[in-house]
Amino acid sequence: MSLLILLSLALGVRLLYQHESAVEGPMRADAGKYVKAALNLRIFGIHSEEKPRTGFGPPQSRTDLSPVYPLFLTLFLDAKTPAQLEKHILIVQAILGTLTTVFTFLLARLALGLPWATLAGVLTAASPHLVAMDGYILTESLFTFVITLGALILALSWSTNRSSLALIAGLLLALSARVRALGFALQFFLAPLFLLDAHAPRLARKSIWARQIIMVVLGFVAILGAHREFVLRTVTH
């Protein structure tokens, strides 16, 4: 029941905000360069934030632009008008924000009772900042979705001692850093958790946390390898 209430509240508030608020140009901050990068990926297969120009050669490509959000935006480029493009992206971001609320509730439920976990979910669902950011075309919605899911799966892998979940968590956490580089810094806050036992207030056995860390690192290596392959295929200058 709590989960259904959170789903309804989070999605309802976000869609209501998008429908009722007057947003003058939802493409703010760095959104324009990511949309241009998505267009260049679709048209030229080049990773670049330069403005695509029909009839000219491919633009100069670059490596310092995080690639995951442009790849995400390419899913919406079949929209016939810019207004449809923005509408489709914002609806999906509202869904991502809703799922982030659910992940927060489930993450809290691993350590807290149902009332406190529900409160954490409600605060996330109704947070003005989190609701508003889903009304703009920004990287934040995708970033918070991926990193919260990664943290949830990491916590599950630690509590159940399942290496396969640790690998998936590593993939997601590394992917979040390819959405926004801030994701790399946040990993340092999660790392000390591996030293503690998931079921008792004591240090964990070295064999457990060593295996978990190895699987997380393998996930990072896989994403870094995929990023390197992406660069080799899309960066020409």
Side-chain angles (χ1 to χ4, degrees), residues 28 36 94 116 126 194 203:
R28 298 294 179 88
K36 292 173 186 175
W116 288 107
F194 283 100
L203 292 176

Side-chain angles (χ1 to χ4, degrees), residues 25-40 48-52 65 69-70 73 77 85-86 89 136-139:
M27 287 194 186
R28 298 294 179 88
D30 295 334
K33 71 179 183 182
Y34 286 116
V35 173
K36 292 173 186 175
L39 287 169
N40 283 320
S48 172
E49 65 179 55
E50 293 183 16
K51 183 178 180 180
L65 183 67
Y69 197 59
L73 294 178
L77 294 182
L85 173 71
E86 294 173 357
I89 294 173
Y136 295 90
I137 298 176
L138 299 170
T139 60

Side-chain angles (χ1 to χ4, degrees), residues 79-156:
K80 296 181 180 179
T81 65
Q84 286 182 334
L85 173 71
E86 294 173 357
K87 180 181 178 181
H88 294 166
I89 294 173
L90 294 181
I91 289 175
V92 171
Q93 289 190 172
I95 294 172
L96 294 180
T98 301
L99 292 176
T100 301
T101 299
V102 173
F103 300 153
T104 302
F105 166 77
L106 295 175
L107 189 59
R109 192 68 183 89
L110 292 175
L112 304 173
L114 182 60
W116 288 107
T118 302
L119 177 61
V122 169
L123 291 175
T124 305
S127 167
H129 174 72
L130 296 179
V131 172
M133 79 180 190
D134 291 332
Y136 295 90
I137 298 176
L138 299 170
T139 60
E140 277 80 353
S141 297
L142 182 62
F143 174 72
T144 53
F145 167 81
V146 176
I147 199 167
T148 307
L149 178 58
L152 173 61
I153 294 179
L154 183 65
L156 287 172

